[in-house]
Amino acid sequence: LFMVVLASYGGYRWWQYTQAWVKTDNAYVAGHIHQTSTRIAGTVTEVLVLENQAVTAGQVLARLDRADLEVRRDQVRAAQIQAEAQLNQAQAQVRGEEAAATKAQLDFDRAEKLAREANRVISQQELDSAKAALAAAQAAVAAARARTNSAEAQVQVASANLKDAE
């Protein structure tokens, strides 16, 4: 019975030993490995802890290279400036399309008045052309407004990205 207990204890200790040791071709490593990482990607410039040093929650373990972060922030700022420029361009395009629609409306009103006169100064074809031009101008205004809405959304996304980058 003593031999069975001794063999069981020896087997248990051997099993514990094999669980704690990782074998490689040239070394043995014992210990628990915990992965650590930063919340943001970057190049580590300084490690503030030593190997096997005990650390506490919230303790700074490493410092990242600020240049990487500054480049990212500058890229996001450039994207925001570009989005704002696109918004300004879209707003200017809306104003231009609105002016064209106003002219098309005036042309149509004039053509309709001339077509209603007793001697029908213009043909039905000219009236239809003025009406089609008015519809096209109104559609162009709607499309330009949609582009403006899209540009406004891009500015909001760029602003959120900038806040995140900062």
Side-chain angles (χ1 to χ4, degrees):
L1 180 64
F2 178 72
M3 292 301 280
V4 172
V5 171
L6 185 62
S8 296
Y9 179 74
Y12 174 73
R13 295 293 292 163
W14 179 80
W15 178 79
Q16 276 187 324
Y17 173 80
T18 60
Q19 296 300 311
W21 292 87
V22 177
K23 183 177 179 184
T24 66
D25 289 341
N26 61 357
Y28 291 91
V29 177
H32 299 284
I33 298 173
H34 297 281
Q35 292 285 6
T36 60
S37 65
T38 59
R39 287 183 278 182
I40 56 175
T43 303
V44 175
T45 59
E46 183 180 6
V47 178
L48 303 173
V49 293
L50 301 173
E51 188 173 337
N52 295 322
Q53 177 183 342
V55 295
T56 58
Q59 180 180 346
V60 177
L61 305 178
R63 297 202 192 283
L64 299 178
D65 186 5
R66 295 188 62 79
D68 294 343
L69 304 174
E70 290 169 357
V71 166
R72 169 80 174 117
R73 184 194 61 216
D74 291 344
Q75 288 172 338
V76 173
R77 277 187 185 157
Q80 182 181 22
I81 290 168
Q82 183 178 13
E84 289 171 353
Q86 288 173 345
L87 174 60
N88 291 338
Q89 183 180 10
Q91 289 170 339
Q93 193 171 15
V94 166
R95 289 189 296 274
E97 296 297 345
E98 286 173 343
T102 300
K103 182 186 180 315
Q105 181 69 54
L106 293 172
D107 290 346
F108 173 73
D109 291 346
R110 213 173 293 116
E112 190 176 40
K113 181 180 175 188
L114 292 173
R116 276 187 282 147
E117 287 184 359
N119 53 2
R120 293 185 64 65
V121 177
I122 65 167
S123 68
Q124 184 64 38
Q125 180 181 7
E126 290 174 309
L127 179 62
D128 292 344
S129 293
K131 187 174 184 178
L134 175 59
Q138 290 170 339
V141 168
R145 286 184 179 150
R147 284 189 295 275
T148 299
N149 292 340
S150 175
E152 286 172 348
Q154 288 176 348
V155 168
Q156 290 175 353
V157 167
S159 294
N161 288 342
L162 182 59
K163 285 180 185 176
D164 183 48
E166 288 177 340

